[in-house]
Amino acid sequence: MRQRLTELTGVGARASTPETHVPAQRARGTAPTQKRSLVRAAIELLLQQPALALELQAPYRFSALRQNGVELLTEIVGLIAARPDINTGALIEHFAEREEAKALQKLAASSFVGDEQVISRYFLGTMSQLELQAVEQRQAEIADKLRELGPAALSMEERAETARLLQDARALRAQIAGYSGPAL
């Protein structure tokens, strides 16, 4: 087990160089796994099962996130909402003339393991995490303003928004906990 763990992680109990583990990985044809970002996972799932986007309610708070791929994710969700019967091929074709086309084709070709319910829960959990990140991003913006300009700088709307954001963050954390049960 220790040897297998060492092969998978490149970190072992014995002092060894990273080159020691590369041939073993290549011999089996495996590559080190790369953690997929939440945005990438959401796009990948939507490409494979576009109907998942129909479970989301507009407005999409995640679209305010300043992260790579969020604009594309928002566009894909909007496209699916406008065309609920769209399939993977039509989604890929929609982006055929854009620079993202090859990456989208690659993501559409990969697959998630699990039945529809597990995949749906994973997608909704992923989207809830993105929503939470958007809430936390907005909370940080307000906190920065508060630090820079003091409490008097916050408008009544921002004060009310702060209270709503706290409630939203609590609700999203509870949602995420519900999605990350044993089925995931």
Side-chain angles (χ1 to χ4, degrees), residues 86-100:
I86 197 167
N87 61 26
T88 300
L91 267 173
I92 297 295
E93 183 61 32
H94 179 82
F95 295 96
E97 300 299 318
R98 299 205 1 211
E99 67 181 64
E100 300 96 340

Side-chain angles (χ1 to χ4, degrees), residues 3 16 29 34 38 40 43-44 53 58 63 67-68 94 109 113 118 129 132 135 146 152 155 161 163 170 173 181:
Q3 180 181 2
S16 62
Q34 180 180 357
L38 292 173
R40 179 182 171 162
I43 291 171
E44 189 173 348
S63 65
Q67 289 183 18
N68 290 334
H94 179 82
V113 178
V118 169
Q129 289 178 53
L132 179 60
V135 166
L146 185 61
S155 68
E161 181 184 11
R170 247 183 258 119
R173 286 186 185 99

Side-chain angles (χ1 to χ4, degrees), residues 5-153:
L5 182 60
T6 301
E7 290 170 358
L8 290 172
T9 64
V11 178
R14 294 174 292 162
S16 62
T17 62
E19 294 79 33
T20 306
H21 306 292
V22 174
Q25 288 176 342
R26 286 189 187 137
R28 283 192 301 281
T30 61
T33 56
Q34 180 180 357
K35 187 176 179 186
R36 134 191 325 126
S37 77
L38 292 173
V39 174
R40 179 182 171 162
I43 291 171
E44 189 173 348
L45 285 164
L46 288 175
L47 289 170
Q48 295 168 28
Q49 295 186 30
L52 290 170
L54 302 176
E55 298 182 46
L56 302 176
Q57 300 292 318
Y60 310 116
R61 181 178 270 159
F62 68 86
S63 65
L65 278 171
R66 291 181 304 273
Q67 289 183 18
N68 290 334
V70 168
E71 286 181 27
L72 180 61
L73 174 59
T74 303
E75 185 176 352
I76 291 170
V77 169
L79 178 62
I80 295 168
R83 296 178 49 197
D85 60 336
I86 197 167
N87 61 26
T88 300
L91 267 173
I92 297 295
E93 183 61 32
H94 179 82
F95 295 96
E97 300 299 318
R98 299 205 1 211
E99 67 181 64
E100 300 96 340
K102 281 192 180 211
L104 291 175
Q105 288 172 352
K106 220 182 246 191
L107 289 175
S110 61
S111 63
F112 279 83
V113 178
D115 63 20
E116 283 185 33
Q117 184 180 11
V118 169
I119 291 171
S120 176
R121 284 178 50 140
Y122 181 76
F123 175 73
L124 292 173
T126 297
M127 297 310 295
S128 291
Q129 289 178 53
L130 289 171
E131 295 279 323
L132 179 60
Q133 287 179 6
V135 166
E136 290 171 342
Q137 176 183 286
R138 181 63 183 139
Q139 286 174 321
E141 290 168 356
I142 293 172
D144 288 344
K145 182 177 180 180
L146 185 61
R147 267 191 299 279
E148 286 178 33
L149 305 173

